[in-house]
Amino acid sequence: MAERAARLAGDLLMERFGGPARGVAVKSSSTDMVSDADREAEEAIVALLARERPDDALVAEEGAREGGSSGRRWVVDPLDGTTNYLYGFPAWCVSVALEDAGGGLAGVVHDPWRGETFRAARGAGAQLNGEPIHVRDHDDLSTALVATGFGYDPQWRGTQADVLRRVIPRVRDIRRAGAAALDLAWVAAGRLDAYYERGLNPWDWAAGVQLVREAGGRVEPLEGEPFGVAAGPSALVEPLRRLVAT
């Protein structure tokens, strides 16, 4: 069901990608955008889940909230990487996760542009287009390719830049795609060694965290506020957490 929902939204988004932007507005700041594409993708997922999983709870980035009685909750980002999408920059995705009282049950990160679907289920491993994926077997932070992201508040971005100045000399290099769910999926697939970011919401990380863990990696919260995570092979997560501590 998570994959069906993600693909449904992905098909809708691909139909509109590269065309005129419609209904563009801002949310938390003048740089935090939302568009009709985000809203319509979310509406499509919500309608599907309401039909087929009416007893499940749901929380989604663009405001959908549903209570439930099943003990399960869907966590949905209908378009992670909205700025990229609106600029025609091909680093965006759909993220759909299912949780229960024990944590993540399933997670899907669907990249329609590349035709790539990352999926994981509790205890069943992680796959990319049906083939098993694993985090990189890497234990040296100084030669690690590390991804991160930045928030929308100008003052907070300045703080993140200060942390980045400390990180860059201590790693191989930094990558910033602009979509947290993709970053985590790429860690799970071994395209990145590790990832860290603060200021995340549940829909940013819920599916990606499931992918990393089922791909043999480790995900740990960063100490302090705002909420953040470090992800990668076990040998890298702890030194990365210490390095990015504020």
Short mmCIF file of all heavy atoms in Angstrom, two decimals, residues 189-238:
data_model
loop_
_atom_site.label_atom_id
_atom_site.label_comp_id
_atom_site.label_asym_id
_atom_site.label_seq_id
_atom_site.Cartn_x
_atom_site.Cartn_y
_atom_site.Cartn_z
N ALA A 189 21.21 3.05 0.05
CA ALA A 189 21.68 2.40 -1.18
C ALA A 189 23.19 2.48 -1.35
O ALA A 189 23.72 1.99 -2.36
CB ALA A 189 21.00 3.04 -2.38
N GLY A 190 23.91 3.09 -0.42
CA GLY A 190 25.35 3.18 -0.51
C GLY A 190 25.86 4.28 -1.42
O GLY A 190 27.05 4.33 -1.75
N ARG A 191 25.00 5.20 -1.84
CA ARG A 191 25.43 6.31 -2.68
C ARG A 191 26.06 7.44 -1.86
O ARG A 191 26.74 8.31 -2.40
CB ARG A 191 24.24 6.85 -3.47
CG ARG A 191 23.68 5.85 -4.46
CD ARG A 191 22.45 6.38 -5.15
NE ARG A 191 21.92 5.40 -6.09
CZ ARG A 191 20.77 5.53 -6.74
NH1 ARG A 191 20.04 6.62 -6.55
NH2 ARG A 191 20.37 4.60 -7.58
N LEU A 192 25.76 7.43 -0.58
CA LEU A 192 26.36 8.34 0.38
C LEU A 192 26.83 7.51 1.56
O LEU A 192 26.25 6.46 1.87
CB LEU A 192 25.34 9.37 0.88
CG LEU A 192 24.76 10.33 -0.15
CD1 LEU A 192 23.47 10.97 0.39
CD2 LEU A 192 25.78 11.41 -0.49
N ASP A 193 27.86 7.99 2.25
CA ASP A 193 28.31 7.26 3.44
C ASP A 193 27.44 7.57 4.65
O ASP A 193 27.16 6.68 5.46
CB ASP A 193 29.77 7.63 3.75
CG ASP A 193 30.73 7.06 2.73
OD1 ASP A 193 30.72 5.83 2.53
OD2 ASP A 193 31.48 7.84 2.12
N ALA A 194 27.04 8.83 4.80
CA ALA A 194 26.31 9.21 6.00
C ALA A 194 25.51 10.48 5.74
O ALA A 194 25.68 11.16 4.71
CB ALA A 194 27.27 9.41 7.17
N TYR A 195 24.67 10.83 6.71
CA TYR A 195 23.78 11.98 6.59
C TYR A 195 23.51 12.51 7.99
O TYR A 195 23.38 11.76 8.95
CB TYR A 195 22.47 11.54 5.93
CG TYR A 195 21.31 12.49 6.10
CD1 TYR A 195 21.17 13.61 5.30
CD2 TYR A 195 20.33 12.23 7.05
CE1 TYR A 195 20.08 14.47 5.44
CE2 TYR A 195 19.24 13.08 7.20
CZ TYR A 195 19.12 14.20 6.39
OH TYR A 195 18.05 15.04 6.55
N TYR A 196 23.40 13.84 8.07
CA TYR A 196 22.93 14.46 9.31
C TYR A 196 22.11 15.68 8.95
O TYR A 196 22.32 16.33 7.93
CB TYR A 196 24.10 14.85 10.22
CG TYR A 196 24.79 16.13 9.79
CD1 TYR A 196 24.40 17.37 10.31
CD2 TYR A 196 25.81 16.12 8.84
CE1 TYR A 196 25.02 18.55 9.90
CE2 TYR A 196 26.43 17.29 8.42
CZ TYR A 196 26.03 18.50 8.95
OH TYR A 196 26.62 19.66 8.54
N GLU A 197 21.16 16.01 9.80
CA GLU A 197 20.40 17.25 9.62
C GLU A 197 19.56 17.50 10.86
O GLU A 197 19.04 16.56 11.48
CB GLU A 197 19.49 17.18 8.39
CG GLU A 197 18.82 18.50 8.08
CD GLU A 197 18.06 18.51 6.76
OE1 GLU A 197 18.18 17.52 5.99
OE2 GLU A 197 17.35 19.50 6.50
N ARG A 198 19.41 18.77 11.19
CA ARG A 198 18.50 19.21 12.24
C ARG A 198 17.32 19.96 11.63
O ARG A 198 17.38 20.43 10.51
CB ARG A 198 19.20 20.13 13.24
CG ARG A 198 20.16 19.44 14.18
CD ARG A 198 20.63 20.42 15.25
NE ARG A 198 21.63 19.87 16.11
CZ ARG A 198 21.38 19.15 17.20
NH1 ARG A 198 20.12 18.91 17.56
NH2 ARG A 198 22.36 18.69 17.94
N GLY A 199 16.26 20.11 12.44
CA GLY A 199 15.09 20.84 12.00
C GLY A 199 14.14 20.01 11.17
O GLY A 199 13.36 20.55 10.38
N LEU A 200 14.17 18.69 11.34
CA LEU A 200 13.35 17.79 10.54
C LEU A 200 11.98 17.58 11.19
O LEU A 200 11.83 17.58 12.41
CB LEU A 200 14.03 16.44 10.40
CG LEU A 200 15.39 16.43 9.69
CD1 LEU A 200 16.01 15.05 9.79
CD2 LEU A 200 15.22 16.85 8.23
N ASN A 201 10.99 17.35 10.34
CA ASN A 201 9.65 16.93 10.77
C ASN A 201 9.49 15.43 10.50
O ASN A 201 10.23 14.86 9.69
CB ASN A 201 8.59 17.71 10.01
CG ASN A 201 8.60 19.18 10.37
OD1 ASN A 201 8.35 19.56 11.51
ND2 ASN A 201 8.91 20.04 9.39
N PRO A 202 8.50 14.78 11.13
CA PRO A 202 8.37 13.32 10.95
C PRO A 202 8.25 12.89 9.50
O PRO A 202 8.80 11.85 9.12
CB PRO A 202 7.08 13.00 11.74
CG PRO A 202 7.02 14.05 12.80
CD PRO A 202 7.57 15.29 12.16
N TRP A 203 7.55 13.66 8.68
CA TRP A 203 7.39 13.26 7.27
C TRP A 203 8.68 13.37 6.48
O TRP A 203 8.82 12.76 5.43
CB TRP A 203 6.30 14.09 6.60
CG TRP A 203 6.39 15.56 6.89
CD1 TRP A 203 7.21 16.48 6.29
CD2 TRP A 203 5.64 16.27 7.87
NE1 TRP A 203 7.01 17.71 6.84
CE2 TRP A 203 6.05 17.62 7.81
CE3 TRP A 203 4.64 15.91 8.79
CZ2 TRP A 203 5.50 18.61 8.63
CZ3 TRP A 203 4.11 16.88 9.60
CH2 TRP A 203 4.53 18.22 9.52
N ASP A 204 9.66 14.13 6.99
CA ASP A 204 10.95 14.23 6.32
C ASP A 204 11.76 12.94 6.43
O ASP A 204 12.52 12.59 5.52
CB ASP A 204 11.78 15.38 6.90
CG ASP A 204 11.16 16.74 6.71
OD1 ASP A 204 10.66 17.00 5.60
OD2 ASP A 204 11.16 17.54 7.66
N TRP A 205 11.64 12.26 7.58
CA TRP A 205 12.56 11.17 7.87
C TRP A 205 11.92 9.80 8.07
O TRP A 205 12.62 8.79 8.07
CB TRP A 205 13.40 11.50 9.10
CG TRP A 205 12.62 11.85 10.34
CD1 TRP A 205 12.35 13.09 10.82
CD2 TRP A 205 12.03 10.94 11.29
NE1 TRP A 205 11.62 13.03 11.99
CE2 TRP A 205 11.42 11.72 12.29
CE3 TRP A 205 11.97 9.55 11.38
CZ2 TRP A 205 10.73 11.15 13.38
CZ3 TRP A 205 11.29 8.98 12.45
CH2 TRP A 205 10.69 9.77 13.44
N ALA A 206 10.60 9.73 8.25
CA ALA A 206 9.98 8.47 8.67
C ALA A 206 10.29 7.32 7.72
O ALA A 206 10.68 6.23 8.15
CB ALA A 206 8.47 8.65 8.82
N ALA A 207 10.11 7.51 6.42
CA ALA A 207 10.37 6.42 5.47
C ALA A 207 11.87 6.19 5.31
O ALA A 207 12.34 5.05 5.26
CB ALA A 207 9.73 6.74 4.12
N GLY A 208 12.64 7.27 5.23
CA GLY A 208 14.08 7.14 5.02
C GLY A 208 14.79 6.43 6.16
O GLY A 208 15.72 5.64 5.93
N VAL A 209 14.37 6.71 7.37
CA VAL A 209 14.96 6.03 8.53
C VAL A 209 14.73 4.53 8.45
O VAL A 209 15.62 3.72 8.73
CB VAL A 209 14.39 6.62 9.82
CG1 VAL A 209 14.60 5.68 11.01
CG2 VAL A 209 15.03 7.98 10.11
N GLN A 210 13.51 4.15 8.05
CA GLN A 210 13.22 2.72 7.89
C GLN A 210 14.12 2.09 6.84
O GLN A 210 14.62 0.97 7.01
CB GLN A 210 11.74 2.55 7.51
CG GLN A 210 11.28 1.11 7.40
CD GLN A 210 11.03 0.46 8.74
OE1 GLN A 210 11.28 1.05 9.78
NE2 GLN A 210 10.54 -0.76 8.73
N LEU A 211 14.36 2.80 5.76
CA LEU A 211 15.24 2.28 4.71
C LEU A 211 16.65 2.05 5.23
O LEU A 211 17.26 1.00 4.99
CB LEU A 211 15.28 3.27 3.54
CG LEU A 211 14.05 3.33 2.64
CD1 LEU A 211 14.11 4.58 1.76
CD2 LEU A 211 13.95 2.08 1.77
N VAL A 212 17.21 3.05 5.92
CA VAL A 212 18.58 2.94 6.42
C VAL A 212 18.71 1.77 7.38
O VAL A 212 19.65 0.96 7.29
CB VAL A 212 19.04 4.25 7.07
CG1 VAL A 212 20.39 4.07 7.75
CG2 VAL A 212 19.12 5.37 6.04
N ARG A 213 17.80 1.67 8.30
CA ARG A 213 17.89 0.59 9.30
C ARG A 213 17.76 -0.78 8.65
O ARG A 213 18.51 -1.71 8.98
CB ARG A 213 16.82 0.79 10.37
CG ARG A 213 17.14 1.96 11.30
CD ARG A 213 16.03 2.21 12.28
NE ARG A 213 16.45 3.22 13.28
CZ ARG A 213 15.62 3.97 13.98
NH1 ARG A 213 14.31 3.84 13.81
NH2 ARG A 213 16.08 4.86 14.85
N GLU A 214 16.84 -0.92 7.71
CA GLU A 214 16.67 -2.22 7.06
C GLU A 214 17.80 -2.52 6.08
O GLU A 214 18.02 -3.67 5.71
CB GLU A 214 15.32 -2.29 6.35
CG GLU A 214 14.14 -2.37 7.29
CD GLU A 214 14.11 -3.65 8.12
OE1 GLU A 214 14.56 -4.69 7.60
OE2 GLU A 214 13.66 -3.61 9.28
N ALA A 215 18.56 -1.49 5.68
CA ALA A 215 19.72 -1.69 4.82
C ALA A 215 20.98 -1.95 5.64
O ALA A 215 22.09 -1.95 5.08
CB ALA A 215 19.92 -0.47 3.93
N GLY A 216 20.83 -2.17 6.93
CA GLY A 216 21.96 -2.52 7.78
C GLY A 216 22.62 -1.34 8.46
O GLY A 216 23.68 -1.49 9.08
N GLY A 217 22.02 -0.16 8.35
CA GLY A 217 22.60 1.03 8.95
C GLY A 217 22.03 1.36 10.31
O GLY A 217 21.20 0.63 10.86
N ARG A 218 22.45 2.48 10.81
CA ARG A 218 22.05 2.94 12.14
C ARG A 218 21.57 4.39 12.01
O ARG A 218 22.14 5.17 11.24
CB ARG A 218 23.23 2.86 13.10
CG ARG A 218 23.00 3.37 14.50
CD ARG A 218 24.27 3.21 15.30
NE ARG A 218 24.23 3.90 16.58
CZ ARG A 218 25.28 4.08 17.37
NH1 ARG A 218 26.47 3.60 17.00
NH2 ARG A 218 25.16 4.72 18.52
N VAL A 219 20.53 4.73 12.75
CA VAL A 219 20.02 6.10 12.80
C VAL A 219 19.87 6.48 14.26
O VAL A 219 19.26 5.75 15.03
CB VAL A 219 18.67 6.24 12.08
CG1 VAL A 219 18.21 7.69 12.11
CG2 VAL A 219 18.75 5.72 10.65
N GLU A 220 20.45 7.63 14.63
CA GLU A 220 20.37 8.10 16.00
C GLU A 220 19.97 9.56 16.03
O GLU A 220 20.36 10.34 15.15
CB GLU A 220 21.73 7.94 16.70
CG GLU A 220 22.19 6.51 16.89
CD GLU A 220 21.35 5.74 17.89
OE1 GLU A 220 20.65 6.40 18.70
OE2 GLU A 220 21.39 4.50 17.86
N PRO A 221 19.18 9.95 17.05
CA PRO A 221 18.84 11.37 17.17
C PRO A 221 20.05 12.19 17.58
O PRO A 221 20.95 11.70 18.27
CB PRO A 221 17.77 11.38 18.26
CG PRO A 221 18.04 10.16 19.07
CD PRO A 221 18.57 9.13 18.10
N LEU A 222 20.08 13.44 17.14
CA LEU A 222 21.11 14.37 17.57
C LEU A 222 20.68 14.99 18.89
O LEU A 222 19.50 15.32 19.08
CB LEU A 222 21.32 15.47 16.52
CG LEU A 222 21.77 15.00 15.14
CD1 LEU A 222 21.85 16.18 14.18
CD2 LEU A 222 23.11 14.27 15.22
N GLU A 223 21.63 15.17 19.79
CA GLU A 223 21.30 15.77 21.08
C GLU A 223 20.91 17.23 20.90
O GLU A 223 21.43 17.93 20.03
CB GLU A 223 22.50 15.67 22.02
CG GLU A 223 22.85 14.24 22.41
CD GLU A 223 24.03 14.18 23.37
OE1 GLU A 223 24.50 15.26 23.78
OE2 GLU A 223 24.46 13.06 23.71
N GLY A 224 20.01 17.70 21.75
CA GLY A 224 19.61 19.10 21.72
C GLY A 224 18.48 19.36 20.76
O GLY A 224 17.87 18.45 20.19
N GLU A 225 18.17 20.63 20.60
CA GLU A 225 17.08 21.07 19.73
C GLU A 225 17.62 21.97 18.62
O GLU A 225 18.65 22.62 18.80
CB GLU A 225 16.06 21.84 20.57
CG GLU A 225 15.39 21.01 21.65
CD GLU A 225 14.50 19.92 21.08
OE1 GLU A 225 14.05 20.07 19.92
OE2 GLU A 225 14.28 18.92 21.78
N PRO A 226 16.91 22.04 17.50
CA PRO A 226 15.72 21.26 17.13
C PRO A 226 16.08 19.82 16.79
O PRO A 226 17.25 19.48 16.68
CB PRO A 226 15.19 22.00 15.90
CG PRO A 226 16.41 22.59 15.27
CD PRO A 226 17.30 22.99 16.42
N PHE A 227 15.04 19.02 16.63
CA PHE A 227 15.24 17.60 16.38
C PHE A 227 16.07 17.37 15.13
O PHE A 227 15.92 18.06 14.12
CB PHE A 227 13.89 16.89 16.23
CG PHE A 227 14.00 15.43 15.89
CD1 PHE A 227 14.28 14.50 16.87
CD2 PHE A 227 13.89 15.00 14.57
CE1 PHE A 227 14.41 13.16 16.55
CE2 PHE A 227 14.01 13.66 14.25
CZ PHE A 227 14.27 12.74 15.25
N GLY A 228 16.93 16.38 15.20
CA GLY A 228 17.72 15.98 14.04
C GLY A 228 18.19 14.56 14.17
O GLY A 228 18.04 13.93 15.23
N VAL A 229 18.76 14.03 13.09
CA VAL A 229 19.24 12.66 13.09
C VAL A 229 20.61 12.59 12.42
O VAL A 229 20.97 13.45 11.61
CB VAL A 229 18.28 11.69 12.37
CG1 VAL A 229 16.92 11.65 13.05
CG2 VAL A 229 18.14 12.05 10.89
N ALA A 230 21.34 11.54 12.76
CA ALA A 230 22.55 11.14 12.04
C ALA A 230 22.32 9.71 11.58
O ALA A 230 21.80 8.88 12.33
CB ALA A 230 23.78 11.22 12.93
N ALA A 231 22.70 9.42 10.35
CA ALA A 231 22.43 8.10 9.78
C ALA A 231 23.62 7.63 8.96
O ALA A 231 24.34 8.43 8.36
CB ALA A 231 21.19 8.16 8.89
N GLY A 232 23.82 6.31 8.95
CA GLY A 232 24.90 5.72 8.19
C GLY A 232 25.28 4.38 8.78
O GLY A 232 24.56 3.83 9.62
N PRO A 233 26.41 3.83 8.39
CA PRO A 233 26.89 2.61 9.04
C PRO A 233 27.21 2.90 10.51
O PRO A 233 27.57 4.03 10.87
CB PRO A 233 28.15 2.26 8.24
CG PRO A 233 28.55 3.51 7.57
CD PRO A 233 27.31 4.30 7.34
N SER A 234 27.08 1.90 11.34
CA SER A 234 27.24 2.10 12.78
C SER A 234 28.55 2.78 13.13
O SER A 234 28.61 3.64 14.02
CB SER A 234 27.15 0.76 13.51
OG SER A 234 25.85 0.22 13.40
N ALA A 235 29.63 2.44 12.44
CA ALA A 235 30.95 2.97 12.78
C ALA A 235 31.06 4.47 12.53
O ALA A 235 31.95 5.12 13.10
CB ALA A 235 32.03 2.24 11.98
N LEU A 236 30.19 5.04 11.70
CA LEU A 236 30.26 6.46 11.40
C LEU A 236 29.30 7.31 12.20
O LEU A 236 29.52 8.52 12.38
CB LEU A 236 29.98 6.71 9.91
CG LEU A 236 31.00 6.21 8.90
CD1 LEU A 236 30.58 6.63 7.50
CD2 LEU A 236 32.39 6.74 9.21
N VAL A 237 28.22 6.73 12.68
CA VAL A 237 27.16 7.54 13.28
C VAL A 237 27.61 8.24 14.54
O VAL A 237 27.35 9.44 14.73
CB VAL A 237 25.91 6.68 13.52
CG1 VAL A 237 24.90 7.42 14.38
CG2 VAL A 237 25.27 6.29 12.19
N GLU A 238 28.30 7.54 15.42
CA GLU A 238 28.69 8.18 16.68
C GLU A 238 29.71 9.29 16.47
O GLU A 238 29.53 10.40 17.02
CB GLU A 238 29.20 7.14 17.68
CG GLU A 238 29.15 7.60 19.12
CD GLU A 238 27.77 8.08 19.54
OE1 GLU A 238 26.76 7.43 19.22
OE2 GLU A 238 27.70 9.15 20.19
#
